[in-house]
Amino acid sequence: MNTTAAAQTANVTSATIRTWARRGVIAATKTAGRWIIDTASLARRIAIGAMKRPARAIVYSVETMVAIGGNRWQRNGMDRVYINDWAAFAGIETTHYNTGNISSASYQGEGVSNSQAYKLLGAIDKVWFDAADGKIHGRFGYDESRVASRDEVWSAVIAGIRTAVAAL
């Protein structure tokens, strides 16, 4: 079988088939400058690709929230883990002068002005995980940025926390 037919069978590009052949991932011989792919070997490679690990369930718990950098707080029957560095999970990066003012900022890899960075940071006041209901909660601030809405920042925080917990 040639590389074009193999690529259609495996649902990959011809370049991927040639790479697999060069690296020995599939059995192939080169005749007159063209790869001839062994059908049985390609079928084994397709079967290996089809065996996907089942996705692990994301479990929010006190232990996982502490493991990603949260601080546990217990008082008056409440059990919470505060995520003090929520801005990092949202992709907000800032550097500061010695005075504490922002010297440079970015949101999800894109540079933003210092005033917009302050507004992004002011969109959310606190983020915490409540052990009683097993949910992540937030208290929203008053600022609204042109770069991202409060809801977009909140979604970025949740996505960042979810990614960090999944990486554990």
Side-chain angles (χ1 to χ4, degrees):
M1 157 181 322
N2 65 17
T3 56
T4 305
Q8 290 173 348
T9 303
N11 199 23
V12 295
T13 64
S14 295
T16 300
I17 295 295
R18 288 190 297 272
T19 301
W20 287 353
R22 275 193 307 274
R23 293 183 179 171
V25 174
I26 55 175
T29 57
K30 202 165 192 182
T31 305
R34 300 195 181 274
W35 286 104
I36 306 298
I37 311 301
D38 178 52
T39 308
S41 175
L42 181 63
R44 281 193 303 276
R45 178 63 187 121
I46 292 170
I48 289 170
M51 291 188 290
K52 301 235 184 224
R53 243 187 327 181
R56 292 187 329 188
I58 307 287
V59 178
Y60 294 136
S61 66
V62 170
E63 291 78 22
T64 57
M65 293 297 149
V66 169
I68 64 169
N71 296 318
R72 190 169 186 179
W73 177 84
Q74 294 173 302
R75 190 170 297 151
N76 300 329
M78 291 185 285
D79 190 5
R80 295 179 175 175
V81 178
Y82 283 93
I83 309 295
N84 295 327
D85 195 20
W86 63 265
F89 290 112
I92 302 170
E93 296 178 14
T94 57
T95 57
H96 297 267
Y97 294 115
N98 288 338
T99 60
N101 293 333
I102 294 176
S103 62
S104 67
S106 66
Y107 176 64
Q108 296 183 348
E110 297 288 324
V112 296
S113 69
N114 296 352
S115 66
Q116 290 302 307
Y118 279 116
K119 289 181 179 184
L120 287 169
L121 293 171
I124 298 175
D125 187 34
K126 289 186 180 185
V127 177
W128 70 90
F129 170 77
D130 194 343
D133 63 7
K135 294 181 182 176
I136 299 172
H137 298 272
R139 185 169 71 194
F140 296 105
Y142 298 105
D143 285 333
E144 189 76 30
S145 171
R146 286 179 292 146
V147 176
S149 69
R150 184 178 297 126
D151 293 335
E152 290 171 334
V153 174
W154 179 250
S155 295
V157 170
I158 297 300
I161 289 172
R162 184 177 181 81
T163 303
V165 169
L168 293 177

